[in-house]
Amino acid sequence: MQTTIDKAGRVIIPAAIRSRLGLVPGPVNITIEGADVRIAAIAPNQLAERDGRVVIAADGLALSSDDIRELRLADQR
């Protein structure tokens, strides 16, 4: 997907990409990787360690294995 950089250095991330990644307005980290620029959302301060993994605490209903499988299949379609 192609976009442009304006004179002020701003880049518009297309709505389809923002929606797919769950990006919302707020601070981001920008890093340089070779000749590429990487933009990453900053994780909220709700990080926790569970079973040796860092996870982000979430509100709402937990996803079942079937829910996760369906989301993965939908992403491949």
Side-chain angles (χ1 to χ4, degrees):
M1 196 172 290
Q2 187 173 357
T3 189
T4 58
I5 300 174
D6 69 11
K7 291 180 183 180
R10 296 175 291 214
V11 175
I12 300 296
I13 300 172
I17 293 174
R18 293 192 317 266
S19 175
R20 180 174 175 177
L21 297 176
L23 295 177
V24 294
V28 295
N29 283 327
I30 298 179
T31 56
I32 298 171
E33 294 183 3
D36 298 329
V37 175
R38 179 184 170 117
I39 301 171
I42 297 174
N45 292 331
Q46 301 171 341
L47 297 178
E49 185 174 337
R50 293 188 189 137
D51 298 325
R53 296 182 180 175
V54 176
V55 297
I56 300 172
D59 295 334
L61 300 173
L63 294 175
S64 69
S65 296
D66 291 335
D67 294 332
I68 294 169
R69 186 178 310 106
E70 183 58 35
L71 288 169
R72 287 181 178 165
L73 291 173
D75 193 42
Q76 294 174 1
R77 291 182 197 143

